[in-house]
Amino acid sequence: MKIKIRYLDNKIELNEGHIPVIEVENKKYFYRLVNDFWRIYNSNIIEDIIFLNDENQEINCCNKIKVILNYFDLGFESKKYMNDIFKYINENISDEDRNSLNTQYSRMIKMYRKALNHFDISLSVESELDIDNLTKIMKVRINSNNELLNNLLLIIDLERELKSNKLLIFINLKQYLKKEELKELYKYSIYNQVKILDLFDNYFKFVKTMLS
């Protein structure tokens, strides 16, 4: 994959086995770039940013990239992840397990109908099993961690299995992870074939200079 940004000179190459780490020194361009990626993340078409596949054909990445700005809320409970998990479970559950769930669900429906007969109000219960609804009832959740690196590795795992996004974009990640932790994250994403882009500005370098 390649990213062509009209207001920047060079394309961003996302080759296999390589993690682009982009430092933008111009504050105005940095804000503009992050804002444009954020808008694409939220399903907007941005003409100044073009995504290309390996054959240089344009691909649509609206709502197919994940921009990570807030490292205190990584979106594990987002509607998109939940829907993709429901879809994943529905597609991968075995026929044997599906039949077993149908049997148990039918028994549960009979019990509910029996209980509803005590009311004078006309009530009904959905009798057809829907794996998505059953998954919601079971309150399936992503088990996050107190350690940021572990949570970021978990995001890589989710993307490998669910394929929710074509690209993960981390903004100013170096503020939160040590150098060795960054290397571990990069290696893990390469191993799992999940494309990531590490984008940062030199704000903290500037602050350090001002304080020294």
Side-chain angles (χ1 to χ4, degrees), residues 2-21:
K2 301 174 184 176
I3 306 174
K4 184 177 180 181
I5 303 168
R6 287 183 175 150
Y7 48 85
L8 296 182
D9 294 332
N10 301 317
K11 293 180 182 177
I12 298 176
E13 305 272 352
L14 293 115
N15 300 322
E16 186 176 346
H18 173 71
I19 303 296
V21 180

PDB file of all heavy atoms in Angstrom, residues 2-21:
ATOM      1  N   LYS A   2       0.379   2.285  -0.678  1.00  0.00           N
ATOM      2  CA  LYS A   2       1.044   3.583  -0.709  1.00  0.00           C
ATOM      3  C   LYS A   2       0.024   4.665  -0.367  1.00  0.00           C
ATOM      4  O   LYS A   2      -1.159   4.525  -0.674  1.00  0.00           O
ATOM      5  CB  LYS A   2       1.656   3.854  -2.081  1.00  0.00           C
ATOM      6  CG  LYS A   2       2.684   2.831  -2.547  1.00  0.00           C
ATOM      7  CD  LYS A   2       3.122   3.119  -3.964  1.00  0.00           C
ATOM      8  CE  LYS A   2       4.068   2.038  -4.463  1.00  0.00           C
ATOM      9  NZ  LYS A   2       4.440   2.241  -5.887  1.00  0.00           N
ATOM     10  N   ILE A   3       0.517   5.726   0.250  1.00  0.00           N
ATOM     11  CA  ILE A   3      -0.352   6.860   0.559  1.00  0.00           C
ATOM     12  C   ILE A   3       0.236   8.092  -0.118  1.00  0.00           C
ATOM     13  O   ILE A   3       1.368   8.485   0.166  1.00  0.00           O
ATOM     14  CB  ILE A   3      -0.477   7.092   2.072  1.00  0.00           C
ATOM     15  CG1 ILE A   3      -0.914   5.806   2.776  1.00  0.00           C
ATOM     16  CG2 ILE A   3      -1.469   8.210   2.352  1.00  0.00           C
ATOM     17  CD1 ILE A   3      -0.921   5.932   4.287  1.00  0.00           C
ATOM     18  N   LYS A   4      -0.539   8.684  -1.002  1.00  0.00           N
ATOM     19  CA  LYS A   4      -0.112   9.895  -1.691  1.00  0.00           C
ATOM     20  C   LYS A   4      -0.829  11.074  -1.073  1.00  0.00           C
ATOM     21  O   LYS A   4      -2.061  11.140  -1.064  1.00  0.00           O
ATOM     22  CB  LYS A   4      -0.442   9.793  -3.182  1.00  0.00           C
ATOM     23  CG  LYS A   4       0.060  10.966  -4.001  1.00  0.00           C
ATOM     24  CD  LYS A   4      -0.245  10.766  -5.479  1.00  0.00           C
ATOM     25  CE  LYS A   4       0.255  11.949  -6.303  1.00  0.00           C
ATOM     26  NZ  LYS A   4      -0.057  11.778  -7.748  1.00  0.00           N
ATOM     27  N   ILE A   5      -0.047  12.035  -0.537  1.00  0.00           N
ATOM     28  CA  ILE A   5      -0.604  13.214   0.123  1.00  0.00           C
ATOM     29  C   ILE A   5      -0.204  14.429  -0.691  1.00  0.00           C
ATOM     30  O   ILE A   5       0.986  14.728  -0.847  1.00  0.00           O
ATOM     31  CB  ILE A   5      -0.077  13.327   1.570  1.00  0.00           C
ATOM     32  CG1 ILE A   5      -0.418  12.034   2.326  1.00  0.00           C
ATOM     33  CG2 ILE A   5      -0.680  14.538   2.272  1.00  0.00           C
ATOM     34  CD1 ILE A   5       0.292  11.893   3.644  1.00  0.00           C
ATOM     35  N   ARG A   6      -1.161  15.115  -1.214  1.00  0.00           N
ATOM     36  CA  ARG A   6      -0.897  16.157  -2.199  1.00  0.00           C
ATOM     37  C   ARG A   6      -0.101  17.325  -1.642  1.00  0.00           C
ATOM     38  O   ARG A   6       0.603  17.999  -2.386  1.00  0.00           O
ATOM     39  CB  ARG A   6      -2.224  16.643  -2.798  1.00  0.00           C
ATOM     40  CG  ARG A   6      -2.830  15.618  -3.744  1.00  0.00           C
ATOM     41  CD  ARG A   6      -4.088  16.089  -4.399  1.00  0.00           C
ATOM     42  NE  ARG A   6      -4.550  15.093  -5.380  1.00  0.00           N
ATOM     43  CZ  ARG A   6      -5.816  14.899  -5.699  1.00  0.00           C
ATOM     44  NH1 ARG A   6      -6.750  15.635  -5.134  1.00  0.00           N
ATOM     45  NH2 ARG A   6      -6.154  13.988  -6.593  1.00  0.00           N
ATOM     46  N   TYR A   7      -0.209  17.598  -0.348  1.00  0.00           N
ATOM     47  CA  TYR A   7       0.526  18.728   0.214  1.00  0.00           C
ATOM     48  C   TYR A   7       1.858  18.310   0.854  1.00  0.00           C
ATOM     49  O   TYR A   7       2.521  19.110   1.486  1.00  0.00           O
ATOM     50  CB  TYR A   7      -0.338  19.499   1.214  1.00  0.00           C
ATOM     51  CG  TYR A   7      -1.058  18.655   2.244  1.00  0.00           C
ATOM     52  CD1 TYR A   7      -0.432  18.267   3.426  1.00  0.00           C
ATOM     53  CD2 TYR A   7      -2.366  18.265   2.032  1.00  0.00           C
ATOM     54  CE1 TYR A   7      -1.099  17.507   4.365  1.00  0.00           C
ATOM     55  CE2 TYR A   7      -3.046  17.505   2.964  1.00  0.00           C
ATOM     56  CZ  TYR A   7      -2.411  17.132   4.127  1.00  0.00           C
ATOM     57  OH  TYR A   7      -3.077  16.376   5.052  1.00  0.00           O
ATOM     58  N   LEU A   8       2.247  17.068   0.642  1.00  0.00           N
ATOM     59  CA  LEU A   8       3.573  16.598   1.057  1.00  0.00           C
ATOM     60  C   LEU A   8       4.328  16.099  -0.170  1.00  0.00           C
ATOM     61  O   LEU A   8       3.727  15.630  -1.136  1.00  0.00           O
ATOM     62  CB  LEU A   8       3.463  15.481   2.100  1.00  0.00           C
ATOM     63  CG  LEU A   8       2.827  15.854   3.448  1.00  0.00           C
ATOM     64  CD1 LEU A   8       2.832  14.657   4.384  1.00  0.00           C
ATOM     65  CD2 LEU A   8       3.530  17.039   4.101  1.00  0.00           C
ATOM     66  N   ASP A   9       5.644  16.164  -0.114  1.00  0.00           N
ATOM     67  CA  ASP A   9       6.454  15.861  -1.294  1.00  0.00           C
ATOM     68  C   ASP A   9       6.498  14.378  -1.639  1.00  0.00           C
ATOM     69  O   ASP A   9       6.396  14.000  -2.808  1.00  0.00           O
ATOM     70  CB  ASP A   9       7.890  16.374  -1.099  1.00  0.00           C
ATOM     71  CG  ASP A   9       7.953  17.889  -1.033  1.00  0.00           C
ATOM     72  OD1 ASP A   9       7.075  18.533  -1.635  1.00  0.00           O
ATOM     73  OD2 ASP A   9       8.875  18.424  -0.383  1.00  0.00           O
ATOM     74  N   ASN A  10       6.652  13.535  -0.625  1.00  0.00           N
ATOM     75  CA  ASN A  10       6.908  12.120  -0.883  1.00  0.00           C
ATOM     76  C   ASN A  10       5.712  11.240  -0.525  1.00  0.00           C
ATOM     77  O   ASN A  10       4.952  11.539   0.393  1.00  0.00           O
ATOM     78  CB  ASN A  10       8.129  11.650  -0.088  1.00  0.00           C
ATOM     79  CG  ASN A  10       9.375  12.435  -0.453  1.00  0.00           C
ATOM     80  OD1 ASN A  10       9.635  12.702  -1.622  1.00  0.00           O
ATOM     81  ND2 ASN A  10      10.149  12.815   0.557  1.00  0.00           N
ATOM     82  N   LYS A  11       5.573  10.126  -1.258  1.00  0.00           N
ATOM     83  CA  LYS A  11       4.573   9.130  -0.912  1.00  0.00           C
ATOM     84  C   LYS A  11       5.017   8.375   0.345  1.00  0.00           C
ATOM     85  O   LYS A  11       6.199   8.247   0.624  1.00  0.00           O
ATOM     86  CB  LYS A  11       4.401   8.132  -2.064  1.00  0.00           C
ATOM     87  CG  LYS A  11       3.790   8.704  -3.325  1.00  0.00           C
ATOM     88  CD  LYS A  11       3.670   7.607  -4.376  1.00  0.00           C
ATOM     89  CE  LYS A  11       3.103   8.163  -5.679  1.00  0.00           C
ATOM     90  NZ  LYS A  11       3.047   7.112  -6.727  1.00  0.00           N
ATOM     91  N   ILE A  12       4.053   7.876   1.084  1.00  0.00           N
ATOM     92  CA  ILE A  12       4.344   7.008   2.225  1.00  0.00           C
ATOM     93  C   ILE A  12       4.210   5.568   1.757  1.00  0.00           C
ATOM     94  O   ILE A  12       3.151   5.154   1.279  1.00  0.00           O
ATOM     95  CB  ILE A  12       3.366   7.280   3.398  1.00  0.00           C
ATOM     96  CG1 ILE A  12       3.512   8.728   3.886  1.00  0.00           C
ATOM     97  CG2 ILE A  12       3.628   6.305   4.546  1.00  0.00           C
ATOM     98  CD1 ILE A  12       2.515   9.104   4.969  1.00  0.00           C
ATOM     99  N   GLU A  13       5.294   4.815   1.849  1.00  0.00           N
ATOM    100  CA  GLU A  13       5.312   3.429   1.411  1.00  0.00           C
ATOM    101  C   GLU A  13       5.070   2.511   2.600  1.00  0.00           C
ATOM    102  O   GLU A  13       5.745   2.616   3.630  1.00  0.00           O
ATOM    103  CB  GLU A  13       6.670   3.097   0.771  1.00  0.00           C
ATOM    104  CG  GLU A  13       7.072   4.009  -0.377  1.00  0.00           C
ATOM    105  CD  GLU A  13       6.542   3.523  -1.709  1.00  0.00           C
ATOM    106  OE1 GLU A  13       6.004   2.396  -1.744  1.00  0.00           O
ATOM    107  OE2 GLU A  13       6.674   4.264  -2.705  1.00  0.00           O
ATOM    108  N   LEU A  14       4.111   1.614   2.470  1.00  0.00           N
ATOM    109  CA  LEU A  14       3.835   0.636   3.513  1.00  0.00           C
ATOM    110  C   LEU A  14       4.155  -0.754   2.970  1.00  0.00           C
ATOM    111  O   LEU A  14       3.272  -1.536   2.613  1.00  0.00           O
ATOM    112  CB  LEU A  14       2.373   0.715   3.972  1.00  0.00           C
ATOM    113  CG  LEU A  14       2.018   2.014   4.685  1.00  0.00           C
ATOM    114  CD1 LEU A  14       1.014   2.823   3.889  1.00  0.00           C
ATOM    115  CD2 LEU A  14       1.481   1.741   6.069  1.00  0.00           C
ATOM    116  N   ASN A  15       5.438  -1.032   2.872  1.00  0.00           N
ATOM    117  CA  ASN A  15       5.895  -2.297   2.310  1.00  0.00           C
ATOM    118  C   ASN A  15       5.938  -3.382   3.380  1.00  0.00           C
ATOM    119  O   ASN A  15       6.035  -3.103   4.581  1.00  0.00           O
ATOM    120  CB  ASN A  15       7.295  -2.121   1.699  1.00  0.00           C
ATOM    121  CG  ASN A  15       7.301  -1.079   0.585  1.00  0.00           C
ATOM    122  OD1 ASN A  15       6.357  -1.000  -0.198  1.00  0.00           O
ATOM    123  ND2 ASN A  15       8.349  -0.281   0.524  1.00  0.00           N
ATOM    124  N   GLU A  16       5.879  -4.617   2.929  1.00  0.00           N
ATOM    125  CA  GLU A  16       5.945  -5.746   3.846  1.00  0.00           C
ATOM    126  C   GLU A  16       7.291  -5.750   4.575  1.00  0.00           C
ATOM    127  O   GLU A  16       8.344  -5.592   3.964  1.00  0.00           O
ATOM    128  CB  GLU A  16       5.767  -7.055   3.072  1.00  0.00           C
ATOM    129  CG  GLU A  16       5.684  -8.276   3.953  1.00  0.00           C
ATOM    130  CD  GLU A  16       5.403  -9.533   3.157  1.00  0.00           C
ATOM    131  OE1 GLU A  16       5.017  -9.419   1.977  1.00  0.00           O
ATOM    132  OE2 GLU A  16       5.565 -10.633   3.720  1.00  0.00           O
ATOM    133  N   GLY A  17       7.246  -5.896   5.887  1.00  0.00           N
ATOM    134  CA  GLY A  17       8.466  -5.922   6.680  1.00  0.00           C
ATOM    135  C   GLY A  17       9.033  -4.557   6.991  1.00  0.00           C
ATOM    136  O   GLY A  17      10.160  -4.430   7.469  1.00  0.00           O
ATOM    137  N   HIS A  18       8.235  -3.507   6.747  1.00  0.00           N
ATOM    138  CA  HIS A  18       8.718  -2.142   6.966  1.00  0.00           C
ATOM    139  C   HIS A  18       7.630  -1.311   7.631  1.00  0.00           C
ATOM    140  O   HIS A  18       6.471  -1.342   7.221  1.00  0.00           O
ATOM    141  CB  HIS A  18       9.105  -1.504   5.629  1.00  0.00           C
ATOM    142  CG  HIS A  18       9.466  -0.060   5.724  1.00  0.00           C
ATOM    143  ND1 HIS A  18      10.625   0.386   6.319  1.00  0.00           N
ATOM    144  CD2 HIS A  18       8.805   1.060   5.310  1.00  0.00           C
ATOM    145  CE1 HIS A  18      10.662   1.706   6.261  1.00  0.00           C
ATOM    146  NE2 HIS A  18       9.570   2.136   5.668  1.00  0.00           N
ATOM    147  N   ILE A  19       8.011  -0.571   8.687  1.00  0.00           N
ATOM    148  CA  ILE A  19       7.070   0.301   9.388  1.00  0.00           C
ATOM    149  C   ILE A  19       7.466   1.759   9.129  1.00  0.00           C
ATOM    150  O   ILE A  19       8.534   2.192   9.559  1.00  0.00           O
ATOM    151  CB  ILE A  19       7.074   0.039  10.912  1.00  0.00           C
ATOM    152  CG1 ILE A  19       6.742  -1.423  11.210  1.00  0.00           C
ATOM    153  CG2 ILE A  19       6.077   0.982  11.606  1.00  0.00           C
ATOM    154  CD1 ILE A  19       5.367  -1.846  10.800  1.00  0.00           C
ATOM    155  N   PRO A  20       6.631   2.530   8.434  1.00  0.00           N
ATOM    156  CA  PRO A  20       6.959   3.946   8.230  1.00  0.00           C
ATOM    157  C   PRO A  20       6.807   4.732   9.537  1.00  0.00           C
ATOM    158  O   PRO A  20       5.771   4.664  10.185  1.00  0.00           O
ATOM    159  CB  PRO A  20       5.919   4.411   7.205  1.00  0.00           C
ATOM    160  CG  PRO A  20       5.237   3.184   6.715  1.00  0.00           C
ATOM    161  CD  PRO A  20       5.392   2.145   7.753  1.00  0.00           C
ATOM    162  N   VAL A  21       7.852   5.447   9.894  1.00  0.00           N
ATOM    163  CA  VAL A  21       7.818   6.324  11.061  1.00  0.00           C
ATOM    164  C   VAL A  21       8.034   7.738  10.531  1.00  0.00           C
ATOM    165  O   VAL A  21       9.123   8.068  10.068  1.00  0.00           O
ATOM    166  CB  VAL A  21       8.891   5.953  12.091  1.00  0.00           C
ATOM    167  CG1 VAL A  21       8.819   6.885  13.295  1.00  0.00           C
ATOM    168  CG2 VAL A  21       8.714   4.495  12.537  1.00  0.00           C
TER     169      VAL A  21
END
